[in-house]
Amino acid sequence: DIQMTQSPSSLSASVGDSVTITCRASQDISSYLDWIQQKPGKAPKSLIYAASSLQGGVPSRFSGSGSGTDFTLTISNLQPEDFATYYCQQHKSYPLTFGPGTKVDFK
Amino acid sequence: EVQLVESGGGLVQPGGSLRLSCAASGFTFSDHYMDWVRQAPGKGLEWVGRTRKKANSYTTEYAASVKGRFTISRDDSKKSLYLQMNSLKTEDTAVYHCVRVSGTYNLDFWGQGTLVTVSS
């Protein structure tokens, strides 16, 4: 199975900040990497697919980059609605696997 | 508007069975692979399995942790996805989400989920 790791596990930030979350795969997954946002009690929401493509309706302050084993999610100009947990997920091979999540909360 | 609404969760004893359903609307259900993903209380996301569409013979994939115990099926005429769970274990306790798979194979739309509690 492909193992996904994320760093940091949590971070504190303020509205207007720029934050970066890193995701690493245990083997080459090309660009088969997605980012998912989850707020407490809500359904997860797809943000970015294929490492860098924005899902429809997602604000442009979200951006993704990377390929192979190393990926990043950047949120520029953090907004109040962005405080959530973010997961990376690979779909290069079965079983699909998720990173452990990064919780972004208020400083 | 795309909607995925899960139902069928509840409390079940270890060793018991439960069948979850997911009602889809707002898109052409038969065109999509569909997944189940679960989340144990306070934990992260865990992929459970997938059913492909008719053109791919409705073939399925499963996580090792549920293979042989869980079965995913679908009824395109009813726009519904199912998860039959047998031989349930306490570690199967989780919110189970129904998820649409896009044409680029990302999990592009998630249902709210239904809670399954396995406890004596």
Side-chain angles (χ1 to χ4, degrees):
Chain A
D1 297 2
I2 297 175
Q3 308 302 317
M4 306 300 294
T5 57
Q6 288 181 234
S7 62
S9 57
S10 65
L11 67 90
S12 297
S14 300
V15 173
D17 286 351
S18 178
V19 300
T20 297
I21 299 168
T22 298
C23 174
R24 176 165 288 175
S26 61
Q27 60 186 265
D28 188 342
I29 59 169
S30 184
S31 295
Y32 296 104
L33 188 284
D34 303 328
W35 289 97
I36 294 158
Q37 177 193 64
Q38 187 177 30
K39 298 179 183 179
K42 300 289 189 181
K45 176 184 176 182
S46 175
L47 293 179
I48 288 172
Y49 64 97
S52 61
S53 297
L54 218 56
Q55 200 69 248
V58 174
S60 59
R61 62 180 180 272
F62 290 91
S63 63
S65 65
S67 67
T69 60
D70 295 309
F71 303 86
T72 60
L73 171 70
T74 299
I75 311 171
S76 303
N77 187 23
L78 200 67
Q79 295 299 297
E81 60 268 29
D82 301 336
F83 292 93
T85 299
Y86 294 86
Y87 296 92
C88 61
Q89 176 246 320
Q90 67 82 21
H91 57 94
K92 175 70 166 59
S93 65
Y94 295 106
L96 308 189
T97 48
F98 294 85
T102 295
K103 184 176 181 180
V104 177
D105 61 17
F106 288 99
K107 183 180 289 183
Chain B
E1 178 193 7
V2 173
Q3 287 196 48
L4 296 169
V5 180
E6 302 91 338
S7 60
L11 175 64
V12 60
Q13 292 188 335
S17 297
L18 208 58
R19 188 194 196 207
L20 306 184
S21 299
C22 170
S25 61
F27 66 101
T28 305
F29 180 76
S30 58
D31 284 351
H32 290 263
Y33 294 8
M34 296 294 297
D35 284 10
W36 287 98
V37 175
R38 68 184 180 183
Q39 187 168 32
K43 302 296 185 182
L45 300 168
E46 180 188 15
W47 180 76
V48 172
R50 169 170 293 176
T51 176
R52 297 182 179 89
K53 56 189 179 181
K54 183 178 181 180
N56 303 98
S57 304
Y58 298 125
T59 52
T60 53
E61 304 285 346
Y62 295 96
S65 58
V66 307
K67 195 169 187 178
R69 300 188 299 122
F70 289 11
T71 302
I72 297 174
S73 61
R74 62 191 292 165
D75 185 335
D76 290 347
S77 68
K78 294 182 179 180
K79 300 182 182 181
S80 292
L81 177 71
Y82 304 102
L83 180 64
Q84 177 66 45
M85 304 184 293
N86 299 331
S87 304
L88 281 161
K89 306 175 181 180
T90 55
E91 53 263 41
D92 295 319
T93 294
V95 172
Y96 285 73
H97 297 278
C98 166
V99 189
R100 187 180 77 172
V101 183
S102 75
T104 51
Y105 302 104
N106 79 294
L107 309 186
D108 72 341
F109 196 85
W110 297 62
Q112 184 78 12
T114 186
L115 175 62
V116 173
T117 303
V118 185
S119 174
S120 55

